[in-house]
Coordinates of all heavy atoms in Angstrom, one line a residue:
M1 N 12.7 -24.2 -2.3 CA 11.4 -23.6 -2.5 C 10.7 -23.0 -1.3 O 10.1 -22.0 -1.3 CB 10.5 -24.7 -3.2 CG 9.2 -24.2 -3.6 SD 9.3 -23.0 -5.0 CE 7.7 -23.1 -5.6
K2 N 10.9 -23.8 -0.2 CA 10.3 -23.4 1.1 C 10.9 -22.0 1.6 O 10.2 -21.2 2.0 CB 10.5 -24.4 2.2 CG 9.8 -24.2 3.5 CD 10.0 -25.3 4.4 CE 9.2 -25.0 5.7 NZ 9.3 -26.1 6.7
K3 N 12.2 -21.9 1.3 CA 12.9 -20.7 1.7 C 12.4 -19.5 0.9 O 12.1 -18.4 1.4 CB 14.4 -20.8 1.5 CG 15.2 -19.6 2.0 CD 16.7 -19.9 1.8 CE 17.5 -18.7 2.3 NZ 18.9 -18.9 2.2
L4 N 12.1 -19.7 -0.4 CA 11.6 -18.7 -1.2 C 10.2 -18.3 -0.8 O 9.8 -17.1 -0.7 CB 11.5 -19.1 -2.7 CG 10.9 -18.2 -3.7 CD1 11.7 -16.9 -3.8 CD2 10.9 -18.8 -5.1
M5 N 9.4 -19.3 -0.4 CA 8.0 -19.0 0.1 C 8.0 -18.2 1.3 O 7.2 -17.3 1.5 CB 7.2 -20.3 0.3 CG 6.9 -21.0 -1.0 SD 5.9 -20.0 -2.1 CE 4.3 -19.9 -1.2
N6 N 9.0 -18.5 2.2 CA 9.1 -17.7 3.5 C 9.5 -16.3 3.2 O 9.0 -15.4 3.9 CB 10.1 -18.4 4.4 CG 9.6 -19.6 5.0 OD1 8.4 -19.9 5.1 ND2 10.5 -20.5 5.5
I7 N 10.3 -16.1 2.2 CA 10.7 -14.7 1.8 C 9.5 -13.9 1.3 O 9.3 -12.8 1.5 CB 11.9 -14.7 0.8 CG1 13.1 -15.2 1.5 CG2 12.1 -13.3 0.2 CD1 14.3 -15.5 0.6
L8 N 8.7 -14.6 0.4 CA 7.6 -13.9 -0.3 C 6.4 -13.7 0.6 O 5.6 -12.8 0.4 CB 7.2 -14.7 -1.5 CG 8.3 -14.7 -2.6 CD1 7.9 -15.6 -3.8 CD2 8.6 -13.3 -3.1
M9 N 6.1 -14.6 1.6 CA 4.9 -14.5 2.4 C 5.0 -13.4 3.4 O 6.1 -13.2 4.0 CB 4.6 -15.8 3.1 CG 4.1 -16.8 2.1 SD 2.7 -16.3 1.0 CE 1.4 -16.1 2.2
L10 N 4.0 -12.6 3.6 CA 3.9 -11.5 4.5 C 3.0 -11.8 5.7 O 2.1 -12.6 5.6 CB 3.4 -10.3 3.8 CG 4.1 -9.7 2.6 CD1 3.3 -8.6 2.0 CD2 5.5 -9.3 3.0
S11 N 3.2 -11.1 6.8 CA 2.2 -11.0 7.9 C 1.1 -10.1 7.4 O 1.3 -9.3 6.5 CB 2.9 -10.5 9.1 OG 3.3 -9.2 9.0
C12 N 0.0 -10.2 8.1 CA -1.1 -9.3 7.8 C -0.7 -7.8 8.1 O -1.1 -6.9 7.3 CB -2.3 -9.6 8.6 SG -3.1 -11.2 8.0
K13 N 0.1 -7.6 9.1 CA 0.5 -6.3 9.5 C 1.4 -5.7 8.3 O 1.1 -4.6 7.9 CB 1.4 -6.3 10.7 CG 1.9 -4.9 11.1 CD 2.7 -4.9 12.4 CE 3.2 -3.5 12.7 NZ 4.0 -3.5 13.8
K14 N 2.3 -6.5 7.8 CA 3.1 -6.0 6.7 C 2.3 -5.8 5.4 O 2.5 -4.8 4.7 CB 4.3 -7.0 6.4 CG 5.3 -6.5 5.4 CD 6.0 -5.3 5.8 CE 7.0 -4.9 4.7 NZ 7.6 -3.6 5.0
A15 N 1.3 -6.7 5.2 CA 0.5 -6.5 4.0 C -0.3 -5.2 4.0 O -0.4 -4.5 3.1 CB -0.5 -7.7 3.9
T16 N -0.9 -4.9 5.2 CA -1.6 -3.7 5.3 C -0.7 -2.4 5.2 O -1.1 -1.4 4.6 CB -2.4 -3.6 6.6 OG1 -1.6 -3.7 7.7 CG2 -3.5 -4.6 6.7
E17 N 0.5 -2.6 5.6 CA 1.5 -1.5 5.4 C 1.7 -1.2 4.0 O 1.8 -0.1 3.5 CB 2.8 -1.8 6.2 CG 2.7 -1.6 7.7 CD 4.0 -2.1 8.4 OE1 5.0 -2.4 7.7 OE2 4.0 -2.1 9.6
L18 N 1.9 -2.3 3.2 CA 2.1 -2.2 1.8 C 0.9 -1.7 1.1 O 1.0 -0.9 0.1 CB 2.5 -3.6 1.2 CG 3.9 -4.1 1.5 CD1 4.2 -5.4 0.9 CD2 5.0 -3.1 1.2
I19 N -0.3 -2.0 1.5 CA -1.5 -1.5 0.9 C -1.5 0.0 1.0 O -1.9 0.7 0.1 CB -2.8 -2.2 1.5 CG1 -2.8 -3.7 1.1 CG2 -4.0 -1.4 1.2 CD1 -3.8 -4.5 1.9
E20 N -1.2 0.5 2.2 CA -1.2 1.9 2.4 C 0.0 2.6 1.7 O -0.1 3.7 1.2 CB -1.2 2.3 3.9 CG -2.4 1.8 4.6 CD -3.7 2.3 4.0 OE1 -3.8 3.4 3.6 OE2 -4.6 1.5 3.9
K21 N 1.1 1.9 1.7 CA 2.4 2.5 1.1 C 2.1 2.7 -0.4 O 2.6 3.7 -0.9 CB 3.5 1.5 1.3 CG 4.8 2.0 0.7 CD 5.9 1.0 1.0 CE 7.2 1.4 0.3 NZ 8.3 0.4 0.5
R22 N 1.4 1.8 -1.1 CA 1.3 1.9 -2.5 C 0.4 3.2 -2.9 O 0.5 3.6 -4.0 CB 0.6 0.7 -3.1 CG -0.8 0.5 -2.7 CD -1.4 -0.9 -3.1 NE -2.7 -1.0 -2.4 CZ -3.8 -0.8 -3.1 NH1 -3.9 -0.5 -4.3 NH2 -4.9 -1.0 -2.4
L23 N -0.3 3.7 -1.9 CA -1.0 5.0 -2.2 C -0.1 6.2 -2.3 O -0.4 7.2 -2.8 CB -2.1 5.2 -1.1 CG -3.1 4.1 -1.0 CD1 -4.0 4.4 0.2 CD2 -3.9 4.0 -2.3
V24 N 1.1 6.0 -1.7 CA 2.1 7.1 -1.6 C 3.2 7.0 -2.6 O 3.6 8.0 -3.2 CB 2.6 7.2 -0.2 CG1 3.6 8.4 0.0 CG2 1.5 7.4 0.8
V25 N 3.8 5.8 -2.7 CA 4.9 5.6 -3.6 C 4.7 4.3 -4.3 O 3.8 3.4 -4.0 CB 6.2 5.5 -2.8 CG1 6.6 6.8 -2.2 CG2 6.2 4.3 -1.8
K26 N 5.4 4.1 -5.4 CA 5.3 2.9 -6.2 C 6.0 1.7 -5.4 O 7.1 1.9 -4.9 CB 6.0 3.1 -7.5 CG 5.7 2.1 -8.6 CD 6.2 2.6 -9.9 CE 5.7 1.7 -11.0 NZ 6.0 2.1 -12.3
L27 N 5.3 0.6 -5.3 CA 5.9 -0.6 -4.7 C 7.0 -1.2 -5.6 O 6.9 -1.1 -6.8 CB 4.9 -1.6 -4.4 CG 3.8 -1.2 -3.4 CD1 2.8 -2.4 -3.2 CD2 4.3 -0.8 -2.1
T28 N 8.0 -1.9 -4.9 CA 9.0 -2.6 -5.7 C 8.3 -3.8 -6.3 O 7.2 -4.2 -5.9 CB 10.1 -3.0 -4.8 OG1 9.7 -4.0 -3.9 CG2 10.8 -1.9 -4.1
V29 N 8.9 -4.5 -7.2 CA 8.4 -5.7 -7.9 C 8.2 -6.8 -6.8 O 7.2 -7.4 -6.8 CB 9.3 -6.2 -9.0 CG1 8.9 -7.6 -9.5 CG2 9.4 -5.2 -10.1
V30 N 9.2 -6.9 -5.9 CA 9.1 -7.9 -4.8 C 7.9 -7.6 -3.9 O 7.1 -8.5 -3.6 CB 10.4 -8.0 -4.0 CG1 10.2 -8.9 -2.8 CG2 11.5 -8.5 -4.9
E31 N 7.7 -6.3 -3.6 CA 6.6 -5.9 -2.7 C 5.3 -6.2 -3.4 O 4.3 -6.7 -2.7 CB 6.7 -4.5 -2.3 CG 7.8 -4.2 -1.3 CD 8.0 -2.7 -1.1 OE1 7.8 -1.9 -2.0 OE2 8.4 -2.3 0.0
K32 N 5.2 -5.9 -4.7 CA 3.9 -6.2 -5.4 C 3.6 -7.7 -5.4 O 2.5 -8.1 -5.2 CB 4.1 -5.7 -6.9 CG 4.0 -4.2 -7.0 CD 4.2 -3.8 -8.5 CE 4.3 -2.4 -8.6 NZ 4.5 -2.0 -10.0
I33 N 4.6 -8.5 -5.6 CA 4.4 -10.0 -5.6 C 4.0 -10.5 -4.2 O 3.1 -11.3 -4.1 CB 5.7 -10.7 -6.1 CG1 6.0 -10.4 -7.6 CG2 5.6 -12.2 -5.9 CD1 7.3 -10.9 -8.1
Q34 N 4.7 -10.0 -3.2 CA 4.4 -10.3 -1.8 C 2.9 -10.0 -1.5 O 2.2 -10.8 -0.9 CB 5.3 -9.7 -0.8 CG 6.7 -10.2 -0.9 CD 7.6 -9.3 0.0 OE1 7.6 -8.1 0.1 NE2 8.5 -10.0 0.8
L35 N 2.5 -8.8 -1.9 CA 1.2 -8.3 -1.6 C 0.2 -9.1 -2.3 O -0.9 -9.6 -1.8 CB 1.0 -6.8 -1.9 CG -0.3 -6.2 -1.5 CD1 -0.6 -6.4 0.0 CD2 -0.3 -4.7 -1.9
K36 N 0.4 -9.4 -3.6 CA -0.5 -10.2 -4.4 C -0.7 -11.6 -3.9 O -1.8 -12.1 -3.8 CB 0.0 -10.2 -5.9 CG -0.9 -10.9 -6.8 CD -2.1 -10.1 -7.1 CE -2.0 -9.2 -8.2 NZ -3.2 -8.5 -8.6
M37 N 0.5 -12.2 -3.5 CA 0.4 -13.6 -2.9 C -0.4 -13.6 -1.6 O -1.2 -14.5 -1.3 CB 1.8 -14.1 -2.7 CG 2.5 -14.5 -3.9 SD 4.2 -15.2 -3.6 CE 3.8 -16.7 -2.8
H38 N -0.1 -12.6 -0.8 CA -0.8 -12.5 0.5 C -2.3 -12.3 0.4 O -3.1 -13.0 1.0 CB -0.2 -11.4 1.4 CG -0.8 -11.4 2.8 ND1 -0.3 -12.2 3.8 CD2 -1.9 -10.8 3.3 CE1 -1.0 -12.0 4.9 NE2 -2.0 -11.1 4.6
T39 N -2.7 -11.4 -0.4 CA -4.1 -11.1 -0.6 C -4.8 -12.2 -1.3 O -6.1 -12.3 -1.2 CB -4.4 -9.7 -1.3 OG1 -3.7 -9.7 -2.6 CG2 -3.9 -8.6 -0.4
A40 N -4.1 -13.0 -2.1 CA -4.7 -14.2 -2.7 C -5.2 -15.2 -1.7 O -6.1 -16.0 -2.0 CB -3.8 -14.8 -3.7
V41 N -4.5 -15.3 -0.6 CA -4.8 -16.3 0.4 C -5.4 -15.8 1.7 O -6.0 -16.5 2.5 CB -3.6 -17.2 0.8 CG1 -3.1 -18.0 -0.4 CG2 -2.5 -16.4 1.4
C42 N -5.4 -14.5 1.9 CA -5.9 -13.8 3.1 C -7.2 -13.0 2.7 O -7.0 -11.9 2.2 CB -4.9 -13.0 3.8 SG -5.4 -12.2 5.3
S43 N -8.3 -13.5 3.0 CA -9.5 -12.7 2.7 C -9.7 -11.4 3.5 O -10.2 -10.4 3.0 CB -10.8 -13.6 2.9 OG -10.9 -14.0 4.3
N44 N -9.1 -11.4 4.7 CA -9.2 -10.2 5.5 C -8.4 -9.1 4.9 O -8.9 -7.9 4.7 CB -8.7 -10.4 6.9 CG -9.7 -11.3 7.7 OD1 -10.9 -11.3 7.5 ND2 -9.2 -12.0 8.7
C45 N -7.2 -9.4 4.4 CA -6.4 -8.3 3.8 C -6.9 -8.0 2.4 O -6.7 -6.8 2.0 CB -4.9 -8.8 3.8 SG -4.1 -8.8 5.4
S46 N -7.4 -8.9 1.7 CA -8.0 -8.7 0.4 C -9.2 -7.7 0.6 O -9.3 -6.7 -0.2 CB -8.5 -10.0 -0.2 OG -9.1 -9.7 -1.5
T47 N -10.0 -7.9 1.6 CA -11.1 -7.0 1.9 C -10.6 -5.6 2.3 O -11.1 -4.6 1.9 CB -12.0 -7.6 3.0 OG1 -12.5 -8.8 2.6 CG2 -13.1 -6.6 3.4
Y48 N -9.5 -5.6 3.1 CA -8.9 -4.3 3.6 C -8.4 -3.6 2.3 O -8.6 -2.4 2.2 CB -7.8 -4.6 4.5 CG -7.1 -3.3 5.0 CD1 -7.6 -2.7 6.1 CD2 -6.0 -2.9 4.4 CE1 -7.0 -1.5 6.6 CE2 -5.4 -1.7 4.8 CZ -5.9 -1.0 5.9 OH -5.3 0.1 6.3
E49 N -7.8 -4.3 1.4 CA -7.3 -3.6 0.2 C -8.4 -3.0 -0.6 O -8.3 -1.9 -1.1 CB -6.5 -4.7 -0.6 CG -5.9 -4.1 -1.9 CD -5.1 -5.1 -2.6 OE1 -5.5 -6.3 -2.7 OE2 -4.0 -4.7 -3.2
S50 N -9.5 -3.8 -0.8 CA -10.7 -3.3 -1.5 C -11.3 -2.0 -0.9 O -11.6 -1.0 -1.5 CB -11.7 -4.3 -1.7 OG -11.3 -5.4 -2.4
Q51 N -11.4 -2.1 0.5 CA -12.0 -1.0 1.2 C -11.0 0.2 1.1 O -11.5 1.4 1.0 CB -12.2 -1.4 2.6 CG -13.4 -2.4 2.8 CD -13.5 -2.9 4.2 OE1 -12.6 -2.8 5.0 NE2 -14.7 -3.5 4.5
S52 N -9.8 0.0 1.2 CA -8.8 1.1 1.1 C -8.9 1.8 -0.2 O -8.9 3.0 -0.3 CB -7.4 0.6 1.3 OG -6.4 1.6 1.2
D53 N -9.1 1.0 -1.3 CA -9.2 1.6 -2.7 C -10.5 2.4 -2.7 O -10.5 3.5 -3.3 CB -9.3 0.5 -3.7 CG -7.9 -0.2 -3.9 OD1 -6.9 0.4 -3.5 OD2 -7.9 -1.3 -4.5
I54 N -11.6 1.9 -2.2 CA -12.8 2.6 -2.2 C -12.7 4.0 -1.5 O -13.1 5.0 -2.0 CB -14.0 1.8 -1.6 CG1 -14.3 0.6 -2.5 CG2 -15.2 2.6 -1.3 CD1 -15.2 -0.5 -1.9
I55 N -12.1 3.9 -0.3 CA -11.9 5.1 0.5 C -11.0 6.1 -0.2 O -11.4 7.3 -0.3 CB -11.3 4.8 1.9 CG1 -12.4 4.0 2.7 CG2 -10.9 6.0 2.6 CD1 -11.8 3.4 4.0
E56 N -10.0 5.6 -0.8 CA -9.1 6.5 -1.5 C -9.8 7.2 -2.7 O -9.6 8.4 -3.0 CB -7.8 5.7 -2.0 CG -6.8 6.6 -2.6 CD -6.1 7.6 -1.7 OE1 -6.2 7.4 -0.5 OE2 -5.6 8.6 -2.2
N57 N -10.6 6.4 -3.4 CA -11.3 7.0 -4.6 C -12.3 8.0 -4.1 O -12.5 9.1 -4.8 CB -12.0 5.9 -5.4 CG -11.0 5.0 -6.1 OD1 -9.9 5.5 -6.5 ND2 -11.3 3.8 -6.4
C58 N -13.0 7.8 -3.0 CA -14.0 8.7 -2.5 C -13.3 10.0 -2.1 O -13.8 11.1 -2.4 CB -14.8 8.1 -1.3 SG -15.9 6.8 -1.8
I59 N -12.2 9.9 -1.4 CA -11.5 11.1 -0.9 C -11.0 11.9 -2.1 O -11.1 13.1 -2.2 CB -10.3 10.7 0.0 CG1 -10.8 10.2 1.3 CG2 -9.3 11.9 0.2 CD1 -9.8 9.5 2.2
A60 N -10.5 11.2 -3.1 CA -10.0 11.8 -4.3 C -11.1 12.6 -5.0 O -10.9 13.7 -5.5 CB -9.4 10.8 -5.3
K61 N -12.3 12.0 -5.1 CA -13.5 12.7 -5.7 C -13.9 13.9 -4.9 O -14.3 14.9 -5.5 CB -14.6 11.7 -5.9 CG -14.4 10.7 -7.0 CD -15.6 9.8 -7.1 CE -15.3 8.7 -8.2 NZ -16.3 7.7 -8.3
I62 N -13.8 13.8 -3.6 CA -14.2 15.0 -2.8 C -13.2 16.1 -2.9 O -13.6 17.3 -3.1 CB -14.3 14.5 -1.3 CG1 -15.5 13.6 -1.1 CG2 -14.4 15.7 -0.4 CD1 -15.6 12.9 0.3
H63 N -11.9 15.8 -2.9 CA -10.9 16.8 -2.9 C -10.4 17.2 -4.3 O -9.8 18.2 -4.4 CB -9.7 16.4 -2.0 CG -10.0 16.3 -0.6 ND1 -10.2 17.5 0.2 CD2 -10.3 15.3 0.3 CE1 -10.5 17.1 1.4 NE2 -10.6 15.8 1.5
Q64 N -10.7 16.4 -5.2 CA -10.3 16.6 -6.6 C -11.4 16.4 -7.6 O -11.4 15.5 -8.4 CB -9.1 15.7 -7.0 CG -7.9 15.9 -6.1 CD -7.2 17.3 -6.3 OE1 -7.2 17.8 -7.4 NE2 -6.6 17.8 -5.3
P65 N -12.5 17.2 -7.5 CA -13.6 17.0 -8.4 C -13.3 17.1 -9.9 O -14.0 16.6 -10.7 CB -14.6 18.1 -8.0 CG -13.8 19.1 -7.3 CD -12.6 18.4 -6.7
D66 N -12.2 17.7 -10.2 CA -11.8 17.8 -11.6 C -11.0 16.6 -12.1 O -10.4 16.6 -13.2 CB -11.1 19.1 -11.9 CG -9.9 19.3 -11.0 OD1 -9.6 18.4 -10.2 OD2 -9.2 20.4 -11.1
N67 N -10.9 15.6 -11.2 CA -10.1 14.4 -11.5 C -8.6 14.5 -11.7 O -8.0 13.6 -12.3 CB -10.8 13.6 -12.7 CG -12.1 13.1 -12.4 OD1 -12.4 12.7 -11.3 ND2 -13.0 13.1 -13.4
K68 N -8.1 15.6 -11.3 CA -6.6 15.7 -11.3 C -6.0 14.9 -10.2 O -6.6 15.0 -9.1 CB -6.2 17.2 -11.2 CG -6.5 18.1 -12.4 CD -5.9 19.4 -12.1 CE -6.3 20.4 -13.3 NZ -5.9 21.7 -13.0
P69 N -5.0 14.1 -10.4 CA -4.4 13.4 -9.3 C -3.8 14.3 -8.2 O -3.3 15.3 -8.5 CB -3.3 12.5 -10.0 CG -3.0 13.2 -11.3 CD -4.2 14.0 -11.6
M70 N -4.0 13.8 -7.0 CA -3.4 14.6 -5.9 C -1.9 14.3 -5.8 O -1.5 13.2 -6.0 CB -4.1 14.2 -4.6 CG -5.6 14.5 -4.5 SD -6.4 14.4 -2.9 CE -5.9 12.9 -2.3
K71 N -1.2 15.4 -5.5 CA 0.3 15.2 -5.4 C 0.7 15.6 -4.0 O 0.2 16.6 -3.4 CB 1.0 16.2 -6.4 CG 0.6 16.0 -7.8 CD 1.4 14.8 -8.3 CE 1.1 14.6 -9.8 NZ 1.8 13.5 -10.4
L72 N 1.6 14.8 -3.4 CA 2.2 15.1 -2.1 C 3.6 15.7 -2.4 O 4.3 15.4 -3.3 CB 2.4 13.8 -1.3 CG 1.2 13.1 -0.8 CD1 1.6 11.8 -0.1 CD2 0.4 14.0 0.2
S73 N 3.9 16.6 -1.5 CA 5.2 17.2 -1.6 C 6.3 16.2 -1.2 O 6.0 15.2 -0.6 CB 5.4 18.4 -0.6 OG 5.3 17.9 0.8
S74 N 7.5 16.4 -1.7 CA 8.6 15.5 -1.4 C 8.8 15.3 0.1 O 9.1 14.2 0.6 CB 9.9 15.9 -2.0 OG 9.8 15.9 -3.4
K75 N 8.7 16.4 0.8 CA 8.9 16.4 2.3 C 7.8 15.5 2.9 O 8.1 14.7 3.8 CB 8.8 17.9 2.8 CG 9.0 18.0 4.3 CD 8.9 19.4 4.8 CE 9.1 19.5 6.3 NZ 9.0 20.8 6.8
R76 N 6.6 15.7 2.5 CA 5.5 14.8 3.1 C 5.7 13.4 2.8 O 5.5 12.5 3.6 CB 4.1 15.3 2.6 CG 3.0 14.6 3.2 CD 2.9 14.9 4.7 NE 1.8 14.1 5.3 CZ 1.9 13.4 6.4 NH1 3.0 13.4 7.1 NH2 0.9 12.7 6.9
K77 N 6.1 13.1 1.5 CA 6.4 11.7 1.2 C 7.5 11.1 2.1 O 7.3 9.9 2.5 CB 6.9 11.6 -0.3 CG 5.7 11.7 -1.3 CD 6.3 11.6 -2.7 CE 5.2 11.8 -3.7 NZ 5.7 11.7 -5.1
E78 N 8.5 11.9 2.3 CA 9.6 11.4 3.2 C 9.1 11.1 4.6 O 9.4 10.1 5.2 CB 10.7 12.4 3.3 CG 11.5 12.5 2.0 CD 12.6 13.6 2.1 OE1 13.1 13.9 3.2 OE2 13.0 14.1 1.0
Q79 N 8.2 12.0 5.1 CA 7.6 11.8 6.4 C 6.8 10.5 6.5 O 6.9 9.8 7.5 CB 6.7 13.0 6.8 CG 7.4 14.3 7.0 CD 6.5 15.5 7.2 OE1 5.4 15.4 6.8 NE2 7.0 16.5 7.8
I80 N 6.0 10.3 5.5 CA 5.2 9.1 5.5 C 6.1 7.8 5.4 O 5.8 6.8 6.1 CB 4.2 9.1 4.3 CG1 3.2 10.2 4.5 CG2 3.5 7.8 4.1 CD1 2.3 10.5 3.4
L81 N 7.1 7.9 4.5 CA 8.0 6.7 4.4 C 8.7 6.4 5.7 O 8.9 5.3 6.1 CB 9.0 6.9 3.3 CG 8.4 6.9 1.9 CD1 9.4 7.3 0.8 CD2 7.8 5.5 1.6
K82 N 9.1 7.5 6.4 CA 9.8 7.2 7.7 C 8.8 6.6 8.7 O 9.3 5.7 9.5 CB 10.3 8.6 8.3 CG 11.5 9.1 7.6 CD 12.0 10.4 8.2 CE 13.2 10.9 7.4 NZ 13.7 12.2 7.9
Q83 N 7.6 6.8 8.6 CA 6.6 6.2 9.5 C 6.5 4.7 9.2 O 6.3 3.9 10.1 CB 5.2 6.8 9.4 CG 5.1 8.2 9.9 CD 5.3 8.2 11.4 OE1 4.8 7.4 12.2 NE2 6.2 9.1 11.9
F84 N 6.6 4.3 7.9 CA 6.6 2.9 7.6 C 7.8 2.1 8.1 O 7.8 0.9 8.3 CB 6.5 2.7 6.0 CG 5.2 2.9 5.5 CD1 4.9 3.9 4.6 CD2 4.2 2.0 5.8 CE1 3.6 4.1 4.1 CE2 2.9 2.2 5.3 CZ 2.6 3.2 4.4
E85 N 8.9 2.8 8.3 CA 10.2 2.2 8.7 C 10.2 1.9 10.2 O 11.0 1.1 10.7 CB 11.4 3.1 8.4 CG 11.6 3.2 6.9 CD 12.7 4.3 6.5 OE1 13.2 4.9 7.4 OE2 12.9 4.5 5.3
K86 N 9.3 2.5 10.9 CA 9.2 2.3 12.4 C 8.7 0.9 12.7 O 8.0 0.3 12.1 CB 8.4 3.4 13.1 CG 9.0 4.7 13.0 CD 8.2 5.7 13.8 CE 8.9 7.1 13.8 NZ 8.1 8.1 14.5

């Protein structure tokens, strides 16, 4: 059980990376569970996640007043994902 908990628990740095990553691509099931577990016990990351959602919604309203979802090109998605790998 302890080994499983070590696998599932994230550092705050990794949690914030996943919070931002989910805005670009769909998280894996494991990533979703890891993030949910981390934000359940870390109030700082939970606050960061809430603030990130607020900022994302505001930006979407400014740039997409007709409520159409914003789309990134495949090339831009690849660039962003490569930044997460560093």
Side-chain angles (χ1 to χ4, degrees):
M1 184 68 160
K2 187 176 181 179
K3 186 176 180 180
L4 178 62
M5 289 302 290
N6 287 338
I7 291 170
L8 292 176
M9 289 307 293
L10 300 175
S11 66
C12 290
K13 180 180 179 185
K14 183 64 178 173
T16 55
E17 287 175 4
L18 289 180
I19 290 167
E20 298 306 317
K21 180 181 175 182
R22 71 190 168 99
L23 299 174
V24 180
V25 295
K26 196 170 189 175
L27 297 180
T28 66
V29 172
V30 172
E31 289 173 328
K32 287 178 185 178
I33 293 169
Q34 290 174 318
L35 183 57
K36 185 68 90 176
M37 287 181 65
H38 184 88
T39 56
V41 297
C42 181
S43 62
N44 290 332
C45 287
S46 180
T47 299
Y48 181 86
E49 183 176 37
S50 296
Q51 290 173 342
S52 180
D53 289 341
I54 290 167
I55 292 167
E56 186 64 22
N57 288 333
C58 289
I59 291 171
K61 286 180 182 177
I62 290 169
H63 291 287
Q64 298 292 327
D66 55 2
N67 292 327
K68 289 183 183 175
M70 295 193 311
K71 300 282 183 180
L72 290 176
S73 68
S74 295
K75 182 178 178 181
R76 184 64 182 134
K77 283 182 185 180
E78 287 178 30
Q79 291 172 339
I80 293 169
L81 289 173
K82 284 181 183 177
Q83 290 297 313
F84 280 116
E85 293 172 2
K86 289 183 179 182

